[in-house]
Amino acid sequence: MGEAVAGDVAGAVGERFRELYGTDPEGVWAAPGRVNLIGEHTDYNDGFVMPFALPHTAVAAVSRRDDGILRLHSADIAAGPVELRVADLTPESDRSWTAYPSGVVWALREAGHELTGADIHLASTVPSGAGLSSSAALEIVVALALNDLYSLGLRGWQLARLCQRAENVYVGAPVGIMDQTASACCEAGHALFLDTRDLSQRQIPFDLAAEGMRLLVVDTQVKHSHSEGEYGKRRAGCEKGAALLGVNALRDVAYDELDAALERLADDEEVLRLVRHVVTEDARVERVVSLLESGDTRAIGPVLVEGHTSLRDDFRISCPELDLVVDTALASGALGARMTGGGFGGSAIVLAEAADVDAITKAVKEAFASAGFTAPRVFEAVPSAGARRVV
């Protein structure tokens, strides 16, 4: 998969652009979805995360305009392009899919970058609602294209910040910085160890195939939306916990001081659970980095399971389908498994020996059928390249 697939999609996107707008695009760009190996709901707490990019991408064919018009079209929409005026873009004015690309244009202009319009056609192979950052991929691919075409000179982490602002303010979803940074900055064959406070990064080699292992993504087909209330409640609860503990963010609560912190929160059980998850999850990220750097890759499996237990019991964002994936995979010989993404649906990841992949996949699918759940989509996650120009 990877570059060959992106190139194939780019050809189709370019051809559709010509049909829609009557001219060739100035270029075609791709930005990937992501899987988060470990570090869930830590990014908006200034903590640590460790995502890697998928080969699945959002692809954009783009040309500049000089008349203040923004025209947007998606391969998933049968109707013609949506036409907007750049000067009229305002936060939360759009509740359709176009809010993501138009929000990027708004955020770039708010940051002082002069954009005079664009024609954009988009297509994506990132599963929507699966916890794999389909929206961030859409934002980053538009931001990168406009950055290149308008010679804005912005780096990947700067594009990520602007895209996060677009989703927070323009779309109205209180997401952290991880998804956009992963899409913009990941490298093939690596996981990205990211400090979300200062955006410092380390690329950690992550080549499971060379060690006889695989990482599966199991899309439960249970859709979720970050802009719905439960995600916002968790974020508000974390902010409350930080305020009660007198710190700027939960990142500032040291792991060896957690017990004392929890004692101070004993009167608020809900906030206590949220704080416990975030502090222990930051520690889990650091443990995984240490294990990978020491070559003890198989030992990350139990850490993944600990993360799922914390998300299920303390953060309370799992669901029966996600729990079934994890329980069935572990019972079938997986090295580790956990839900990944924002929660309330979406996907789980399964770390397994290569020889066990078929048996685990079969067991998970049979378990879903027995439970009466919609059949899951299962595929291998291969650490892939971040956002780039394709044509």
PDB file of all heavy atoms in Angstrom, residues 5 8 40 45 55 68 70 79 81 97 108 120 124 126 129 179 212 232 251 260 263 272 285 287 290 346 377 384:
ATOM      1  N   VAL A   5      -0.668   3.428  -3.712  1.00  0.00           N
ATOM      2  CA  VAL A   5      -2.092   3.721  -3.565  1.00  0.00           C
ATOM      3  C   VAL A   5      -2.346   5.220  -3.654  1.00  0.00           C
ATOM      4  O   VAL A   5      -3.268   5.682  -4.318  1.00  0.00           O
ATOM      5  CB  VAL A   5      -2.617   3.160  -2.228  1.00  0.00           C
ATOM      6  CG1 VAL A   5      -4.033   3.647  -1.962  1.00  0.00           C
ATOM      7  CG2 VAL A   5      -2.586   1.637  -2.260  1.00  0.00           C
ATOM      8  N   ASP A   8      -2.257   6.246  -7.221  1.00  0.00           N
ATOM      9  CA  ASP A   8      -3.467   5.829  -7.945  1.00  0.00           C
ATOM     10  C   ASP A   8      -4.635   6.762  -7.638  1.00  0.00           C
ATOM     11  O   ASP A   8      -5.367   7.187  -8.530  1.00  0.00           O
ATOM     12  CB  ASP A   8      -3.840   4.397  -7.563  1.00  0.00           C
ATOM     13  CG  ASP A   8      -2.840   3.373  -8.078  1.00  0.00           C
ATOM     14  OD1 ASP A   8      -2.051   3.725  -8.984  1.00  0.00           O
ATOM     15  OD2 ASP A   8      -2.844   2.241  -7.571  1.00  0.00           O
ATOM     16  N   GLU A  40      -3.675   7.981  25.043  1.00  0.00           N
ATOM     17  CA  GLU A  40      -5.029   8.385  24.663  1.00  0.00           C
ATOM     18  C   GLU A  40      -5.572   9.432  25.623  1.00  0.00           C
ATOM     19  O   GLU A  40      -5.504   9.274  26.843  1.00  0.00           O
ATOM     20  CB  GLU A  40      -5.942   7.153  24.655  1.00  0.00           C
ATOM     21  CG  GLU A  40      -6.897   7.094  23.506  1.00  0.00           C
ATOM     22  CD  GLU A  40      -6.183   6.973  22.172  1.00  0.00           C
ATOM     23  OE1 GLU A  40      -5.766   5.875  21.814  1.00  0.00           O
ATOM     24  OE2 GLU A  40      -6.055   8.011  21.487  1.00  0.00           O
ATOM     25  N   ASN A  45      -4.099  17.430  27.535  1.00  0.00           N
ATOM     26  CA  ASN A  45      -3.592  17.617  28.889  1.00  0.00           C
ATOM     27  C   ASN A  45      -2.084  17.886  28.897  1.00  0.00           C
ATOM     28  O   ASN A  45      -1.414  17.680  29.908  1.00  0.00           O
ATOM     29  CB  ASN A  45      -3.904  16.377  29.736  1.00  0.00           C
ATOM     30  CG  ASN A  45      -5.387  16.252  30.041  1.00  0.00           C
ATOM     31  OD1 ASN A  45      -5.946  17.038  30.796  1.00  0.00           O
ATOM     32  ND2 ASN A  45      -6.038  15.270  29.425  1.00  0.00           N
ATOM     33  N   PRO A  55      -1.289   4.016   5.834  1.00  0.00           N
ATOM     34  CA  PRO A  55      -1.200   4.215   4.388  1.00  0.00           C
ATOM     35  C   PRO A  55      -2.478   4.815   3.801  1.00  0.00           C
ATOM     36  O   PRO A  55      -2.476   5.284   2.667  1.00  0.00           O
ATOM     37  CB  PRO A  55      -0.955   2.803   3.848  1.00  0.00           C
ATOM     38  CG  PRO A  55      -1.473   1.893   4.894  1.00  0.00           C
ATOM     39  CD  PRO A  55      -1.269   2.587   6.205  1.00  0.00           C
ATOM     40  N   GLY A  68     -11.491  35.553  -4.480  1.00  0.00           N
ATOM     41  CA  GLY A  68     -12.085  35.425  -3.152  1.00  0.00           C
ATOM     42  C   GLY A  68     -13.090  34.299  -3.018  1.00  0.00           C
ATOM     43  O   GLY A  68     -13.792  34.225  -2.008  1.00  0.00           O
ATOM     44  N   LEU A  70     -14.026  30.238  -2.734  1.00  0.00           N
ATOM     45  CA  LEU A  70     -13.553  28.912  -2.353  1.00  0.00           C
ATOM     46  C   LEU A  70     -14.582  27.892  -2.838  1.00  0.00           C
ATOM     47  O   LEU A  70     -15.739  27.929  -2.440  1.00  0.00           O
ATOM     48  CB  LEU A  70     -13.411  28.817  -0.828  1.00  0.00           C
ATOM     49  CG  LEU A  70     -13.029  27.449  -0.243  1.00  0.00           C
ATOM     50  CD1 LEU A  70     -11.635  27.025  -0.702  1.00  0.00           C
ATOM     51  CD2 LEU A  70     -13.118  27.473   1.281  1.00  0.00           C
ATOM     52  N   ALA A  79     -23.426  15.788  -5.627  1.00  0.00           N
ATOM     53  CA  ALA A  79     -23.744  17.132  -6.100  1.00  0.00           C
ATOM     54  C   ALA A  79     -22.478  17.874  -6.519  1.00  0.00           C
ATOM     55  O   ALA A  79     -21.357  17.458  -6.241  1.00  0.00           O
ATOM     56  CB  ALA A  79     -24.460  17.906  -5.000  1.00  0.00           C
ATOM     57  N   PRO A  81     -19.799  21.240  -6.831  1.00  0.00           N
ATOM     58  CA  PRO A  81     -19.003  21.908  -5.799  1.00  0.00           C
ATOM     59  C   PRO A  81     -19.827  22.894  -4.961  1.00  0.00           C
ATOM     60  O   PRO A  81     -20.763  23.529  -5.457  1.00  0.00           O
ATOM     61  CB  PRO A  81     -17.932  22.655  -6.605  1.00  0.00           C
ATOM     62  CG  PRO A  81     -17.829  21.900  -7.891  1.00  0.00           C
ATOM     63  CD  PRO A  81     -19.223  21.426  -8.181  1.00  0.00           C
ATOM     64  N   TRP A  97     -19.700  18.666   5.955  1.00  0.00           N
ATOM     65  CA  TRP A  97     -18.321  18.219   5.787  1.00  0.00           C
ATOM     66  C   TRP A  97     -17.398  19.358   5.357  1.00  0.00           C
ATOM     67  O   TRP A  97     -16.195  19.327   5.651  1.00  0.00           O
ATOM     68  CB  TRP A  97     -18.253  17.094   4.754  1.00  0.00           C
ATOM     69  CG  TRP A  97     -18.509  17.546   3.335  1.00  0.00           C
ATOM     70  CD1 TRP A  97     -19.703  17.609   2.685  1.00  0.00           C
ATOM     71  CD2 TRP A  97     -17.526  18.021   2.411  1.00  0.00           C
ATOM     72  NE1 TRP A  97     -19.547  18.093   1.421  1.00  0.00           N
ATOM     73  CE2 TRP A  97     -18.215  18.351   1.216  1.00  0.00           C
ATOM     74  CE3 TRP A  97     -16.152  18.204   2.461  1.00  0.00           C
ATOM     75  CZ2 TRP A  97     -17.559  18.858   0.093  1.00  0.00           C
ATOM     76  CZ3 TRP A  97     -15.498  18.710   1.341  1.00  0.00           C
ATOM     77  CH2 TRP A  97     -16.200  19.018   0.171  1.00  0.00           C
ATOM     78  N   LEU A 108      -5.992  29.932   8.476  1.00  0.00           N
ATOM     79  CA  LEU A 108      -4.828  30.514   7.817  1.00  0.00           C
ATOM     80  C   LEU A 108      -4.986  32.031   7.675  1.00  0.00           C
ATOM     81  O   LEU A 108      -4.048  32.792   7.919  1.00  0.00           O
ATOM     82  CB  LEU A 108      -4.617  29.873   6.452  1.00  0.00           C
ATOM     83  CG  LEU A 108      -4.042  28.447   6.471  1.00  0.00           C
ATOM     84  CD1 LEU A 108      -4.195  27.794   5.100  1.00  0.00           C
ATOM     85  CD2 LEU A 108      -2.576  28.459   6.887  1.00  0.00           C
ATOM     86  N   ILE A 120     -10.936  23.134  -4.904  1.00  0.00           N
ATOM     87  CA  ILE A 120     -10.436  21.947  -4.217  1.00  0.00           C
ATOM     88  C   ILE A 120     -11.358  20.764  -4.479  1.00  0.00           C
ATOM     89  O   ILE A 120     -12.581  20.877  -4.336  1.00  0.00           O
ATOM     90  CB  ILE A 120     -10.339  22.187  -2.696  1.00  0.00           C
ATOM     91  CG1 ILE A 120      -9.414  23.374  -2.390  1.00  0.00           C
ATOM     92  CG2 ILE A 120      -9.861  20.932  -1.976  1.00  0.00           C
ATOM     93  CD1 ILE A 120      -9.365  23.752  -0.918  1.00  0.00           C
ATOM     94  N   SER A 124     -10.876  10.419  -0.074  1.00  0.00           N
ATOM     95  CA  SER A 124     -10.201   9.859   1.088  1.00  0.00           C
ATOM     96  C   SER A 124     -10.418   8.359   1.177  1.00  0.00           C
ATOM     97  O   SER A 124     -11.506   7.855   0.895  1.00  0.00           O
ATOM     98  CB  SER A 124     -10.707  10.520   2.373  1.00  0.00           C
ATOM     99  OG  SER A 124     -10.038   9.993   3.507  1.00  0.00           O
ATOM    100  N   VAL A 126      -9.366   7.076   4.213  1.00  0.00           N
ATOM    101  CA  VAL A 126      -9.352   6.931   5.665  1.00  0.00           C
ATOM    102  C   VAL A 126     -10.778   6.666   6.130  1.00  0.00           C
ATOM    103  O   VAL A 126     -11.665   7.487   5.888  1.00  0.00           O
ATOM    104  CB  VAL A 126      -8.811   8.197   6.357  1.00  0.00           C
ATOM    105  CG1 VAL A 126      -8.711   7.964   7.865  1.00  0.00           C
ATOM    106  CG2 VAL A 126      -7.464   8.595   5.783  1.00  0.00           C
ATOM    107  N   GLY A 129     -15.165   8.098  11.030  1.00  0.00           N
ATOM    108  CA  GLY A 129     -15.796   7.694  12.279  1.00  0.00           C
ATOM    109  C   GLY A 129     -15.179   6.480  12.923  1.00  0.00           C
ATOM    110  O   GLY A 129     -15.747   5.917  13.862  1.00  0.00           O
ATOM    111  N   ASP A 179      -3.672  14.415  16.468  1.00  0.00           N
ATOM    112  CA  ASP A 179      -4.076  13.895  15.165  1.00  0.00           C
ATOM    113  C   ASP A 179      -3.475  14.702  14.022  1.00  0.00           C
ATOM    114  O   ASP A 179      -2.946  14.149  13.053  1.00  0.00           O
ATOM    115  CB  ASP A 179      -5.601  13.887  15.048  1.00  0.00           C
ATOM    116  CG  ASP A 179      -6.254  12.934  16.027  1.00  0.00           C
ATOM    117  OD1 ASP A 179      -5.525  12.157  16.682  1.00  0.00           O
ATOM    118  OD2 ASP A 179      -7.497  12.956  16.132  1.00  0.00           O
ATOM    119  N   GLY A 212       8.753 -10.261  13.061  1.00  0.00           N
ATOM    120  CA  GLY A 212       7.776 -11.344  13.009  1.00  0.00           C
ATOM    121  C   GLY A 212       6.451 -11.036  13.656  1.00  0.00           C
ATOM    122  O   GLY A 212       5.700 -11.946  14.043  1.00  0.00           O
ATOM    123  N   GLY A 232     -16.299  16.306  25.086  1.00  0.00           N
ATOM    124  CA  GLY A 232     -16.122  17.598  25.738  1.00  0.00           C
ATOM    125  C   GLY A 232     -16.220  17.508  27.244  1.00  0.00           C
ATOM    126  O   GLY A 232     -15.500  18.213  27.972  1.00  0.00           O
ATOM    127  N   ARG A 251      -0.480  17.016  32.853  1.00  0.00           N
ATOM    128  CA  ARG A 251       0.915  16.645  32.557  1.00  0.00           C
ATOM    129  C   ARG A 251       1.827  16.954  33.741  1.00  0.00           C
ATOM    130  O   ARG A 251       2.843  16.286  33.962  1.00  0.00           O
ATOM    131  CB  ARG A 251       1.355  17.410  31.306  1.00  0.00           C
ATOM    132  CG  ARG A 251       2.820  17.731  31.164  1.00  0.00           C
ATOM    133  CD  ARG A 251       3.664  16.491  30.852  1.00  0.00           C
ATOM    134  NE  ARG A 251       5.043  16.887  30.585  1.00  0.00           N
ATOM    135  CZ  ARG A 251       5.489  17.333  29.416  1.00  0.00           C
ATOM    136  NH1 ARG A 251       4.651  17.495  28.401  1.00  0.00           N
ATOM    137  NH2 ARG A 251       6.758  17.639  29.248  1.00  0.00           N
ATOM    138  N   ALA A 260      -0.946  10.810  46.168  1.00  0.00           N
ATOM    139  CA  ALA A 260      -1.236  12.010  46.962  1.00  0.00           C
ATOM    140  C   ALA A 260      -2.244  12.901  46.238  1.00  0.00           C
ATOM    141  O   ALA A 260      -3.152  13.477  46.866  1.00  0.00           O
ATOM    142  CB  ALA A 260       0.052  12.782  47.233  1.00  0.00           C
ATOM    143  N   GLU A 263      -5.717  11.454  46.592  1.00  0.00           N
ATOM    144  CA  GLU A 263      -6.277  11.702  47.932  1.00  0.00           C
ATOM    145  C   GLU A 263      -6.949  13.067  47.986  1.00  0.00           C
ATOM    146  O   GLU A 263      -7.993  13.242  48.627  1.00  0.00           O
ATOM    147  CB  GLU A 263      -5.182  11.602  48.991  1.00  0.00           C
ATOM    148  CG  GLU A 263      -4.718  10.185  49.278  1.00  0.00           C
ATOM    149  CD  GLU A 263      -3.666  10.149  50.366  1.00  0.00           C
ATOM    150  OE1 GLU A 263      -3.471  11.196  51.039  1.00  0.00           O
ATOM    151  OE2 GLU A 263      -3.040   9.089  50.552  1.00  0.00           O
ATOM    152  N   LEU A 272     -11.484  12.245  39.800  1.00  0.00           N
ATOM    153  CA  LEU A 272     -10.404  11.376  40.246  1.00  0.00           C
ATOM    154  C   LEU A 272     -10.069  10.329  39.190  1.00  0.00           C
ATOM    155  O   LEU A 272      -8.895  10.090  38.870  1.00  0.00           O
ATOM    156  CB  LEU A 272     -10.788  10.709  41.568  1.00  0.00           C
ATOM    157  CG  LEU A 272      -9.774   9.768  42.220  1.00  0.00           C
ATOM    158  CD1 LEU A 272      -9.971   9.755  43.742  1.00  0.00           C
ATOM    159  CD2 LEU A 272      -9.900   8.329  41.705  1.00  0.00           C
ATOM    160  N   VAL A 285       3.103   5.742  27.966  1.00  0.00           N
ATOM    161  CA  VAL A 285       3.791   6.169  26.745  1.00  0.00           C
ATOM    162  C   VAL A 285       5.306   6.095  26.943  1.00  0.00           C
ATOM    163  O   VAL A 285       6.035   5.576  26.092  1.00  0.00           O
ATOM    164  CB  VAL A 285       3.373   7.597  26.342  1.00  0.00           C
ATOM    165  CG1 VAL A 285       4.173   8.053  25.116  1.00  0.00           C
ATOM    166  CG2 VAL A 285       1.877   7.663  26.039  1.00  0.00           C
ATOM    167  N   ARG A 287       6.949   4.268  28.993  1.00  0.00           N
ATOM    168  CA  ARG A 287       7.362   2.861  29.085  1.00  0.00           C
ATOM    169  C   ARG A 287       7.473   2.242  27.702  1.00  0.00           C
ATOM    170  O   ARG A 287       8.427   1.498  27.414  1.00  0.00           O
ATOM    171  CB  ARG A 287       6.368   2.084  29.947  1.00  0.00           C
ATOM    172  CG  ARG A 287       6.482   2.355  31.438  1.00  0.00           C
ATOM    173  CD  ARG A 287       5.278   1.825  32.184  1.00  0.00           C
ATOM    174  NE  ARG A 287       5.100   0.391  32.019  1.00  0.00           N
ATOM    175  CZ  ARG A 287       3.957  -0.250  32.318  1.00  0.00           C
ATOM    176  NH1 ARG A 287       2.904   0.429  32.756  1.00  0.00           N
ATOM    177  NH2 ARG A 287       3.872  -1.545  32.156  1.00  0.00           N
ATOM    178  N   SER A 290      10.613   3.413  25.941  1.00  0.00           N
ATOM    179  CA  SER A 290      11.790   2.759  26.497  1.00  0.00           C
ATOM    180  C   SER A 290      11.910   1.324  26.002  1.00  0.00           C
ATOM    181  O   SER A 290      13.011   0.871  25.636  1.00  0.00           O
ATOM    182  CB  SER A 290      11.713   2.784  28.029  1.00  0.00           C
ATOM    183  OG  SER A 290      12.819   2.117  28.606  1.00  0.00           O
ATOM    184  N   GLY A 346     -15.471   3.353  17.109  1.00  0.00           N
ATOM    185  CA  GLY A 346     -14.216   3.447  16.378  1.00  0.00           C
ATOM    186  C   GLY A 346     -13.476   2.126  16.358  1.00  0.00           C
ATOM    187  O   GLY A 346     -14.073   1.070  16.178  1.00  0.00           O
ATOM    188  N   ARG A 377     -14.302  -4.432  10.283  1.00  0.00           N
ATOM    189  CA  ARG A 377     -13.313  -4.370   9.215  1.00  0.00           C
ATOM    190  C   ARG A 377     -11.943  -4.527   9.854  1.00  0.00           C
ATOM    191  O   ARG A 377     -11.619  -3.816  10.808  1.00  0.00           O
ATOM    192  CB  ARG A 377     -13.414  -3.019   8.504  1.00  0.00           C
ATOM    193  CG  ARG A 377     -12.395  -2.838   7.383  1.00  0.00           C
ATOM    194  CD  ARG A 377     -12.474  -1.446   6.810  1.00  0.00           C
ATOM    195  NE  ARG A 377     -11.486  -1.276   5.739  1.00  0.00           N
ATOM    196  CZ  ARG A 377     -10.880  -0.132   5.468  1.00  0.00           C
ATOM    197  NH1 ARG A 377     -11.149   0.935   6.181  1.00  0.00           N
ATOM    198  NH2 ARG A 377     -10.016  -0.053   4.476  1.00  0.00           N
ATOM    199  N   SER A 384       3.477   4.535   8.011  1.00  0.00           N
ATOM    200  CA  SER A 384       3.626   5.103   6.673  1.00  0.00           C
ATOM    201  C   SER A 384       4.045   6.567   6.725  1.00  0.00           C
ATOM    202  O   SER A 384       4.176   7.146   7.802  1.00  0.00           O
ATOM    203  CB  SER A 384       2.308   4.942   5.903  1.00  0.00           C
ATOM    204  OG  SER A 384       1.957   3.554   5.797  1.00  0.00           O
TER     205      SER A 384
END
